[in-house]
């Protein structure tokens, strides 16, 4: 899993001191490879992937918004991108309604997802299936999120749920 996300408060605006030389470079003018806690967080929410999902991040000089590139290795050769997208669509219309969405347009960019209330907006046009020479299938899922607004929307849902109990 690779996340590409906006500069964070832990990065300096101009070159300076940080926990590593790389993280000391200006977040406003550099693309910086970094570690991420996202894979570990997914493992806590979905214990079945705990320990088998790993990831890294690229911090980029934008003000808000992120995208995830998740690569799946499929064990069942009968399953492909169409089936994976079908499962995502089904979940987005049922148990993950308003949390997970799919977009099939050609217009998704970082600017298009600012103030997106869902936690994950799967970019169907950007997702691909790769079959290796030996028949192994890889699926690359691309999903956008506004890490500030989407999170705020989940907090509002939680407050509403607590308030109605």
């Amino acid at each position: 899993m690779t996340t590409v996300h906006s500069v964070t408060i832990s990065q300096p605006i101009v070159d300076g001191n940080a926990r590593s030389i790389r993280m000391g470079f200006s977040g406003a003018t550099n693309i910086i490879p970094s570690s991420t806690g996202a894979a570990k967080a997914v493992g806590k929410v979905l214990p079945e992937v705990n320990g088998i999902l790993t990831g890294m991040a690229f911090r980029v000089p934008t003000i808000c918004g992120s995208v995830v590139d998740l690569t799946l290795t499929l064990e069942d050769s009968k399953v492909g991108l169409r089936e994976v997208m079908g499962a995502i669509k089904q979940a987005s219309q049922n148990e993950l309604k308003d949390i997970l969405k799919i977009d099939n347009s050609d217009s998704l960019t970082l600017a298009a997802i600012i103030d997106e209330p869902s936690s994950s907006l799967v970019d169907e046009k950007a997702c691909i299936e790769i079959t290796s020479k030996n028949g192994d299938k890889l699926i690359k899922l691309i999903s956008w999120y506004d890490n500030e607004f989407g999170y705020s929307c989940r907090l509002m849902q939680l407050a509403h749920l607590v308030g109605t109990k």
Side-chain angles (χ1 to χ4, degrees):
M1 175 171 79
T2 302
T3 61
V4 179
H5 64 86
S6 299
V7 64
T8 67
I9 196 161
S10 66
Q11 293 175 259
I13 299 300
V14 296
D15 294 347
N17 293 328
R19 65 181 190 270
S20 73
I21 293 173
R22 180 177 276 169
M23 293 305 292
F25 287 107
S26 168
T29 59
N30 288 286
I31 296 174
I32 302 171
S34 176
S35 62
T36 180
K40 205 177 286 185
V42 171
K44 289 183 180 192
V45 175
L46 300 171
E48 57 271 19
V49 299
N50 193 28
I52 60 172
L53 181 64
T54 187
M56 65 167 298
F58 287 99
R59 296 185 184 189
V60 297
T62 59
I63 57 169
C64 189
S66 302
V67 64
V68 171
D69 175 345
L70 177 65
T71 304
L72 308 171
T73 305
L74 301 180
E75 293 178 357
D76 185 347
S77 63
K78 295 177 184 154
V79 174
L81 181 59
R82 193 159 104 178
E83 290 77 16
V84 171
M85 293 308 296
I88 291 171
K89 186 172 187 174
Q90 189 273 337
S92 73
Q93 294 170 345
N94 294 292
E95 66 270 18
L96 295 177
K97 187 173 178 16
D98 299 327
I99 297 170
L100 176 65
K101 290 183 182 175
I102 296 179
D103 189 295
N104 196 13
S105 71
D106 279 330
S107 62
L108 282 183
T109 64
L110 182 66
I113 62 96
I114 302 300
D115 294 338
E116 169 58 45
S118 68
S119 292
S120 184
L121 180 61
V122 177
D123 188 343
E124 188 170 14
K125 294 265 181 160
C127 298
I128 60 172
E129 179 178 315
I130 304 165
T131 304
S132 70
K133 289 180 183 179
N134 66 357
D136 291 341
K137 282 190 185 174
L138 297 176
I139 303 290
K140 292 185 78 60
L141 297 175
I142 306 300
S143 188
W144 297 87
Y145 59 100
D146 178 333
N147 44 320
E148 305 299 334
F149 193 72
Y151 178 73
S152 297
C153 289
R154 298 299 74 74
L155 288 178
M156 294 297 291
Q157 283 181 319
L158 179 60
H160 177 74
L161 179 67
V162 170
T164 58
K165 297 282 178 185

